[in-house]
Short mmCIF file of all heavy atoms in Angstrom, two decimals:
data_model
loop_
_atom_site.label_atom_id
_atom_site.label_comp_id
_atom_site.label_asym_id
_atom_site.label_seq_id
_atom_site.Cartn_x
_atom_site.Cartn_y
_atom_site.Cartn_z
N GLU G 892 -9.29 -2.67 6.14
CA GLU G 892 -8.35 -1.74 6.81
C GLU G 892 -9.08 -0.74 7.69
O GLU G 892 -8.64 -0.44 8.81
CB GLU G 892 -7.52 -1.00 5.75
CG GLU G 892 -6.41 -0.15 6.36
CD GLU G 892 -5.41 0.30 5.30
OE1 GLU G 892 -5.86 0.95 4.32
OE2 GLU G 892 -4.23 0.05 5.45
N GLU G 893 -10.22 -0.26 7.22
CA GLU G 893 -11.01 0.66 8.03
C GLU G 893 -11.50 0.01 9.34
O GLU G 893 -11.51 0.62 10.38
CB GLU G 893 -12.25 1.12 7.22
CG GLU G 893 -11.93 2.01 6.02
CD GLU G 893 -13.17 2.25 5.16
OE1 GLU G 893 -14.23 1.72 5.52
OE2 GLU G 893 -13.02 2.96 4.15
N ILE G 894 -11.87 -1.26 9.23
CA ILE G 894 -12.39 -1.97 10.40
C ILE G 894 -11.27 -2.33 11.37
O ILE G 894 -11.47 -2.40 12.56
CB ILE G 894 -13.11 -3.25 9.93
CG1 ILE G 894 -14.40 -2.84 9.18
CG2 ILE G 894 -13.45 -4.16 11.11
CD1 ILE G 894 -15.06 -3.98 8.46
N GLY G 895 -10.04 -2.53 10.81
CA GLY G 895 -8.91 -2.80 11.68
C GLY G 895 -8.43 -4.24 11.67
O GLY G 895 -7.87 -4.70 12.68
N VAL G 896 -8.63 -4.94 10.57
CA VAL G 896 -8.10 -6.31 10.49
C VAL G 896 -6.57 -6.26 10.50
O VAL G 896 -5.97 -5.21 10.28
CB VAL G 896 -8.59 -7.05 9.22
CG1 VAL G 896 -10.11 -7.14 9.27
CG2 VAL G 896 -8.15 -6.36 7.97
N ASP G 897 -5.95 -7.39 10.75
CA ASP G 897 -4.48 -7.41 10.90
C ASP G 897 -3.74 -7.66 9.59
O ASP G 897 -2.54 -7.52 9.52
CB ASP G 897 -4.12 -8.54 11.91
CG ASP G 897 -4.75 -8.28 13.27
OD1 ASP G 897 -4.31 -7.36 13.95
OD2 ASP G 897 -5.71 -8.99 13.62
N GLY G 898 -4.47 -8.01 8.54
CA GLY G 898 -3.87 -8.23 7.24
C GLY G 898 -4.93 -8.69 6.27
O GLY G 898 -6.07 -8.99 6.65
N VAL G 899 -4.57 -8.69 4.99
CA VAL G 899 -5.52 -9.11 3.96
C VAL G 899 -4.88 -10.12 3.02
O VAL G 899 -3.67 -10.11 2.81
CB VAL G 899 -6.07 -7.91 3.13
CG1 VAL G 899 -6.90 -6.99 4.01
CG2 VAL G 899 -4.94 -7.16 2.47
N ILE G 900 -5.71 -10.99 2.47
CA ILE G 900 -5.30 -11.92 1.42
C ILE G 900 -5.82 -11.37 0.08
O ILE G 900 -7.02 -11.13 -0.05
CB ILE G 900 -5.84 -13.33 1.65
CG1 ILE G 900 -5.27 -13.92 2.95
CG2 ILE G 900 -5.53 -14.25 0.46
CD1 ILE G 900 -5.90 -15.24 3.35
N ALA G 901 -4.93 -11.20 -0.85
CA ALA G 901 -5.32 -10.81 -2.22
C ALA G 901 -5.55 -12.10 -3.00
O ALA G 901 -4.59 -12.72 -3.46
CB ALA G 901 -4.25 -9.95 -2.87
N LYS G 902 -6.81 -12.48 -3.13
CA LYS G 902 -7.14 -13.77 -3.79
C LYS G 902 -7.44 -13.54 -5.25
O LYS G 902 -8.49 -13.03 -5.62
CB LYS G 902 -8.32 -14.43 -3.08
CG LYS G 902 -8.55 -15.88 -3.54
CD LYS G 902 -9.66 -16.54 -2.74
CE LYS G 902 -9.82 -17.97 -3.20
NZ LYS G 902 -10.96 -18.65 -2.50
N GLY G 903 -6.48 -13.93 -6.11
CA GLY G 903 -6.60 -13.65 -7.53
C GLY G 903 -7.43 -14.66 -8.28
O GLY G 903 -7.91 -15.66 -7.74
N ASN G 904 -7.62 -14.38 -9.56
CA ASN G 904 -8.47 -15.17 -10.42
C ASN G 904 -7.97 -16.60 -10.62
O ASN G 904 -8.74 -17.48 -10.96
CB ASN G 904 -8.62 -14.47 -11.79
CG ASN G 904 -9.62 -15.11 -12.68
OD1 ASN G 904 -9.25 -15.91 -13.56
ND2 ASN G 904 -10.88 -14.81 -12.48
N GLU G 905 -6.68 -16.83 -10.39
CA GLU G 905 -6.11 -18.17 -10.62
C GLU G 905 -6.50 -19.16 -9.50
O GLU G 905 -6.36 -20.35 -9.67
CB GLU G 905 -4.59 -18.11 -10.68
CG GLU G 905 -4.02 -17.12 -11.66
CD GLU G 905 -3.69 -15.79 -11.01
OE1 GLU G 905 -4.48 -15.34 -10.10
OE2 GLU G 905 -2.66 -15.20 -11.36
N ALA G 906 -6.94 -18.66 -8.35
CA ALA G 906 -7.23 -19.50 -7.21
C ALA G 906 -8.54 -20.28 -7.46
O ALA G 906 -9.23 -20.06 -8.45
CB ALA G 906 -7.33 -18.67 -5.91
N GLY G 907 -8.88 -21.16 -6.51
CA GLY G 907 -10.11 -21.92 -6.62
C GLY G 907 -11.21 -21.28 -5.76
O GLY G 907 -10.95 -20.54 -4.82
N GLY G 908 -12.45 -21.62 -6.07
CA GLY G 908 -13.57 -21.09 -5.28
C GLY G 908 -13.86 -19.65 -5.62
O GLY G 908 -13.75 -19.22 -6.79
N TRP G 909 -14.22 -18.87 -4.62
CA TRP G 909 -14.57 -17.46 -4.78
C TRP G 909 -13.29 -16.69 -5.15
O TRP G 909 -12.33 -16.73 -4.41
CB TRP G 909 -15.17 -16.96 -3.49
CG TRP G 909 -15.54 -15.50 -3.44
CD1 TRP G 909 -16.35 -14.86 -4.30
CD2 TRP G 909 -15.11 -14.55 -2.49
NE1 TRP G 909 -16.50 -13.54 -3.94
CE2 TRP G 909 -15.73 -13.32 -2.82
CE3 TRP G 909 -14.27 -14.59 -1.36
CZ2 TRP G 909 -15.53 -12.15 -2.07
CZ3 TRP G 909 -14.07 -13.46 -0.61
CH2 TRP G 909 -14.70 -12.26 -0.98
N VAL G 910 -13.30 -16.02 -6.28
CA VAL G 910 -12.07 -15.37 -6.77
C VAL G 910 -12.34 -13.98 -7.28
O VAL G 910 -13.47 -13.51 -7.35
CB VAL G 910 -11.39 -16.21 -7.91
CG1 VAL G 910 -10.97 -17.56 -7.41
CG2 VAL G 910 -12.35 -16.33 -9.09
N SER G 911 -11.25 -13.28 -7.63
CA SER G 911 -11.31 -11.95 -8.16
C SER G 911 -11.41 -11.99 -9.69
O SER G 911 -11.12 -12.98 -10.33
CB SER G 911 -10.04 -11.18 -7.78
OG SER G 911 -9.97 -9.91 -8.43
N ASN G 912 -11.81 -10.86 -10.30
CA ASN G 912 -11.74 -10.70 -11.73
C ASN G 912 -10.29 -10.48 -12.16
O ASN G 912 -9.97 -10.66 -13.34
CB ASN G 912 -12.61 -9.55 -12.19
CG ASN G 912 -14.08 -9.87 -12.21
OD1 ASN G 912 -14.47 -10.98 -12.59
ND2 ASN G 912 -14.90 -8.95 -11.73
N GLU G 913 -9.45 -10.05 -11.24
CA GLU G 913 -8.04 -9.69 -11.52
C GLU G 913 -7.13 -10.87 -11.22
O GLU G 913 -7.38 -11.69 -10.32
CB GLU G 913 -7.60 -8.49 -10.70
CG GLU G 913 -8.44 -7.24 -10.91
CD GLU G 913 -8.16 -6.55 -12.22
OE1 GLU G 913 -7.28 -7.02 -12.96
OE2 GLU G 913 -8.80 -5.54 -12.48
N MET G 914 -6.03 -10.94 -11.93
CA MET G 914 -5.01 -11.94 -11.61
C MET G 914 -4.32 -11.56 -10.27
O MET G 914 -4.33 -10.37 -9.90
CB MET G 914 -3.96 -11.98 -12.72
CG MET G 914 -4.53 -12.23 -14.09
SD MET G 914 -5.35 -13.85 -14.25
CE MET G 914 -3.93 -14.89 -14.56
N ALA G 915 -3.79 -12.54 -9.59
CA ALA G 915 -3.30 -12.31 -8.25
C ALA G 915 -2.19 -11.24 -8.18
O ALA G 915 -2.19 -10.39 -7.29
CB ALA G 915 -2.74 -13.63 -7.68
N PHE G 916 -1.27 -11.24 -9.15
CA PHE G 916 -0.16 -10.28 -9.09
C PHE G 916 -0.67 -8.86 -9.34
O PHE G 916 -0.13 -7.90 -8.76
CB PHE G 916 0.92 -10.67 -10.08
CG PHE G 916 2.27 -10.04 -9.76
CD1 PHE G 916 3.02 -10.55 -8.73
CD2 PHE G 916 2.75 -8.97 -10.50
CE1 PHE G 916 4.26 -9.99 -8.41
CE2 PHE G 916 3.98 -8.42 -10.20
CZ PHE G 916 4.75 -8.92 -9.16
N ILE G 917 -1.66 -8.71 -10.21
CA ILE G 917 -2.26 -7.40 -10.45
C ILE G 917 -2.98 -6.91 -9.18
O ILE G 917 -2.86 -5.73 -8.79
CB ILE G 917 -3.25 -7.44 -11.62
CG1 ILE G 917 -2.55 -7.87 -12.91
CG2 ILE G 917 -3.97 -6.11 -11.80
CD1 ILE G 917 -1.47 -6.94 -13.34
N LEU G 918 -3.69 -7.81 -8.55
CA LEU G 918 -4.37 -7.49 -7.31
C LEU G 918 -3.39 -7.08 -6.23
O LEU G 918 -3.63 -6.11 -5.50
CB LEU G 918 -5.19 -8.71 -6.84
CG LEU G 918 -6.46 -8.47 -6.02
CD1 LEU G 918 -7.46 -7.62 -6.76
CD2 LEU G 918 -7.08 -9.78 -5.61
N LEU G 919 -2.28 -7.77 -6.16
CA LEU G 919 -1.25 -7.45 -5.17
C LEU G 919 -0.73 -6.02 -5.36
O LEU G 919 -0.61 -5.27 -4.40
CB LEU G 919 -0.09 -8.44 -5.28
CG LEU G 919 1.19 -8.07 -4.51
CD1 LEU G 919 0.92 -8.05 -3.00
CD2 LEU G 919 2.30 -9.03 -4.84
N GLN G 920 -0.46 -5.67 -6.62
CA GLN G 920 0.04 -4.32 -6.89
C GLN G 920 -0.97 -3.23 -6.50
O GLN G 920 -0.62 -2.18 -5.98
CB GLN G 920 0.44 -4.21 -8.36
CG GLN G 920 1.60 -5.08 -8.75
CD GLN G 920 1.91 -5.02 -10.24
OE1 GLN G 920 2.45 -4.07 -10.74
NE2 GLN G 920 1.52 -6.08 -10.94
N GLN G 921 -2.26 -3.49 -6.74
CA GLN G 921 -3.28 -2.56 -6.36
C GLN G 921 -3.33 -2.38 -4.85
O GLN G 921 -3.40 -1.25 -4.34
CB GLN G 921 -4.65 -3.05 -6.83
CG GLN G 921 -4.84 -3.05 -8.35
CD GLN G 921 -6.21 -3.62 -8.75
OE1 GLN G 921 -7.00 -4.01 -7.89
NE2 GLN G 921 -6.47 -3.64 -10.03
N PHE G 922 -3.25 -3.49 -4.13
CA PHE G 922 -3.31 -3.43 -2.66
C PHE G 922 -2.11 -2.68 -2.09
O PHE G 922 -2.26 -1.85 -1.20
CB PHE G 922 -3.37 -4.84 -2.09
CG PHE G 922 -4.68 -5.53 -2.22
CD1 PHE G 922 -5.61 -5.13 -3.15
CD2 PHE G 922 -4.98 -6.62 -1.40
CE1 PHE G 922 -6.86 -5.74 -3.27
CE2 PHE G 922 -6.21 -7.26 -1.52
CZ PHE G 922 -7.14 -6.83 -2.43
N LEU G 923 -0.93 -2.98 -2.61
CA LEU G 923 0.27 -2.34 -2.08
C LEU G 923 0.28 -0.85 -2.33
O LEU G 923 0.91 -0.09 -1.58
CB LEU G 923 1.52 -2.98 -2.70
CG LEU G 923 1.77 -4.47 -2.32
CD1 LEU G 923 2.95 -5.01 -3.10
CD2 LEU G 923 2.00 -4.59 -0.81
N SER G 924 -0.40 -0.41 -3.36
CA SER G 924 -0.43 1.01 -3.71
C SER G 924 -1.42 1.80 -2.85
O SER G 924 -1.32 3.00 -2.76
CB SER G 924 -0.81 1.20 -5.18
OG SER G 924 0.16 0.62 -6.03
N HIS G 925 -2.37 1.11 -2.22
CA HIS G 925 -3.42 1.81 -1.52
C HIS G 925 -3.60 1.41 -0.06
O HIS G 925 -4.43 2.02 0.65
CB HIS G 925 -4.76 1.58 -2.25
CG HIS G 925 -4.85 2.20 -3.59
ND1 HIS G 925 -4.42 1.53 -4.72
CD2 HIS G 925 -5.24 3.40 -4.03
CE1 HIS G 925 -4.57 2.29 -5.79
NE2 HIS G 925 -5.09 3.45 -5.40
N LEU G 926 -2.88 0.41 0.40
CA LEU G 926 -3.05 -0.08 1.77
C LEU G 926 -1.77 -0.02 2.57
O LEU G 926 -0.67 -0.01 2.00
CB LEU G 926 -3.55 -1.54 1.75
CG LEU G 926 -4.82 -1.88 1.00
CD1 LEU G 926 -5.05 -3.39 1.02
CD2 LEU G 926 -6.02 -1.18 1.62
N THR G 927 -1.92 0.06 3.88
CA THR G 927 -0.72 -0.07 4.76
C THR G 927 -0.68 -1.42 5.46
O THR G 927 0.27 -1.72 6.15
CB THR G 927 -0.77 1.06 5.83
OG1 THR G 927 -1.97 0.94 6.59
CG2 THR G 927 -0.73 2.42 5.17
N LEU G 928 -1.73 -2.21 5.27
CA LEU G 928 -1.83 -3.51 5.89
C LEU G 928 -0.86 -4.51 5.24
O LEU G 928 -0.54 -4.37 4.06
CB LEU G 928 -3.25 -4.08 5.76
CG LEU G 928 -4.34 -3.51 6.61
CD1 LEU G 928 -5.68 -4.08 6.18
CD2 LEU G 928 -4.08 -3.77 8.08
N PRO G 929 -0.44 -5.55 5.99
CA PRO G 929 0.29 -6.67 5.37
C PRO G 929 -0.61 -7.36 4.35
O PRO G 929 -1.78 -7.59 4.61
CB PRO G 929 0.63 -7.56 6.53
CG PRO G 929 0.53 -6.72 7.76
CD PRO G 929 -0.50 -5.69 7.47
N VAL G 930 -0.02 -7.73 3.21
CA VAL G 930 -0.80 -8.36 2.13
C VAL G 930 -0.19 -9.73 1.83
O VAL G 930 1.02 -9.84 1.60
CB VAL G 930 -0.80 -7.53 0.85
CG1 VAL G 930 -1.60 -8.22 -0.25
CG2 VAL G 930 -1.38 -6.14 1.13
N LEU G 931 -1.05 -10.76 1.83
CA LEU G 931 -0.66 -12.10 1.39
C LEU G 931 -1.31 -12.37 0.04
O LEU G 931 -2.38 -11.80 -0.23
CB LEU G 931 -1.07 -13.16 2.41
CG LEU G 931 -0.43 -13.06 3.82
CD1 LEU G 931 -1.24 -12.18 4.73
CD2 LEU G 931 -0.28 -14.43 4.43
N VAL G 932 -0.73 -13.24 -0.72
CA VAL G 932 -1.22 -13.48 -2.10
C VAL G 932 -1.66 -14.94 -2.24
O VAL G 932 -0.96 -15.85 -1.83
CB VAL G 932 -0.11 -13.19 -3.17
CG1 VAL G 932 -0.70 -13.29 -4.55
CG2 VAL G 932 0.48 -11.81 -2.92
N GLN G 933 -2.81 -15.13 -2.89
CA GLN G 933 -3.33 -16.46 -3.18
C GLN G 933 -3.76 -16.53 -4.63
O GLN G 933 -4.44 -15.64 -5.15
CB GLN G 933 -4.53 -16.77 -2.26
CG GLN G 933 -5.08 -18.19 -2.48
CD GLN G 933 -6.18 -18.53 -1.50
OE1 GLN G 933 -6.52 -17.73 -0.63
NE2 GLN G 933 -6.78 -19.70 -1.65
N GLY G 934 -3.29 -17.59 -5.30
CA GLY G 934 -3.65 -17.79 -6.69
C GLY G 934 -2.42 -17.86 -7.57
O GLY G 934 -1.66 -16.90 -7.66
N GLY G 935 -2.20 -18.99 -8.21
CA GLY G 935 -1.06 -19.16 -9.10
C GLY G 935 0.29 -19.17 -8.38
O GLY G 935 1.30 -18.82 -8.95
N ILE G 936 0.30 -19.61 -7.13
CA ILE G 936 1.52 -19.61 -6.34
C ILE G 936 2.36 -20.84 -6.61
O ILE G 936 1.86 -21.97 -6.54
CB ILE G 936 1.22 -19.50 -4.84
CG1 ILE G 936 0.44 -18.20 -4.56
CG2 ILE G 936 2.48 -19.55 -4.00
CD1 ILE G 936 1.16 -16.94 -4.95
N GLY G 937 3.62 -20.63 -6.91
CA GLY G 937 4.55 -21.75 -7.17
C GLY G 937 5.97 -21.31 -6.80
O GLY G 937 6.21 -20.27 -6.19
#
């Protein structure tokens, strides 16, 4: 957000490859509470 990207992907622990320690929905809530950028979610999507 500081750099000025157009949006972020919250890639949770359920996804494949490089992942977060947090589950995707927890990561989403953190992002929404602290960012103004559009947030997309990856991990455990159905």
Side-chain angles (χ1 to χ4, degrees):
E892 186 167 56
E893 292 171 0
I894 292 169
V896 299
D897 300 288
V899 293
I900 296 172
K902 190 175 182 184
N904 188 261
E905 308 95 321
W909 179 56
V910 296
S911 172
N912 284 319
E913 302 285 359
M914 305 297 278
F916 200 74
I917 299 299
L918 207 60
L919 169 64
Q920 293 176 76
Q921 292 178 359
F922 284 21
L923 293 175
S924 297
H925 294 88
L926 303 175
T927 59
L928 287 174
V930 180
L931 297 89
V932 187
Q933 182 175 358
I936 299 301

